[in-house]
Amino acid sequence: LGLPSGTFYRNVTTSDQTSNSTASIIAYDITGMTFTITSGKKYRFKAYVLHTTTSFQTSLRIGVNANVAVASVYHMSTITTSGTASSFINMNSLGLGAFAGSITAAIYMSTIEGIIDANNNGTAAIQFSKGATQTGTITIKAGSILEYYEI
């Protein structure tokens, strides 16, 4: 019960990745947090995203996207904004969720998990961006983890 039907994969990021755009909200694929999707297959994924910010005024969005259309996608993000607060965001479309409140300047772990039903061959990616046009940077830290498998 509860075991994946396909091979279980784990990707671990090996370097920090920073977003410091103040001109607009730009979605970035998190380097190392992508996986191949195949038409007719369903995938379960969960990412543990380590992040920090340089300013208390900076917020974070995380989501899942693909370079092809998919039959369906459902994902839930838990974005940690301090040692005692988190925001929960549920979506049934590709893209970034609404942003959580400002994050305190420490290293926290947020998560995103979901299911993708692929009807095209392509690549799915965990993404991040700043929550709004604001000062400060968001850094996704090395050691963030993506786990996924075919269901």
Side-chain angles (χ1 to χ4, degrees):
L1 289 179
L3 295 176
S5 61
T7 303
F8 181 86
Y9 297 95
R10 179 179 290 129
N11 298 352
V12 180
T13 60
T14 58
S15 60
D16 291 355
Q17 184 176 353
T18 300
S19 166
N20 60 3
S21 172
T22 57
S24 62
I25 301 166
I26 298 172
Y28 297 93
D29 290 353
I30 300 175
T31 303
M33 292 188 129
T34 62
F35 60 100
T36 301
I37 57 175
T38 303
S39 182
K41 306 286 185 178
K42 287 186 181 181
Y43 300 88
R44 170 82 169 84
F45 64 90
K46 185 167 187 176
Y48 304 87
V49 181
L50 304 173
H51 56 85
T52 188
T53 180
T54 59
S55 170
F56 180 71
Q57 302 300 316
T58 307
S59 57
L60 171 69
R61 294 175 190 240
I62 56 176
V64 62
N65 208 354
N67 64 351
V68 293
V70 298
S72 63
V73 60
Y74 305 96
H75 56 99
M76 179 183 74
S77 301
T78 303
I79 299 177
T80 304
T81 56
S82 73
T84 58
S86 296
S87 294
F88 303 96
I89 300 159
N90 287 288
M91 291 182 62
N92 61 358
S93 61
L94 293 171
L96 298 167
F99 70 91
S102 297
I103 300 170
T104 57
I107 296 177
Y108 293 110
M109 181 180 72
S110 294
T111 60
I112 179 171
E113 59 185 301
I115 298 170
I116 294 178
D117 184 359
N119 60 347
N120 290 288
N121 296 334
T123 302
I126 305 301
Q127 294 186 321
F128 81 106
S129 79
K130 293 169 74 171
T133 303
Q134 54 207 192
T135 61
T137 61
I138 292 281
T139 300
I140 305 302
K141 301 298 290 177
S144 295
I145 300 168
L146 169 65
E147 298 174 337
Y148 62 97
Y149 55 89
E150 181 184 329
I151 55 176

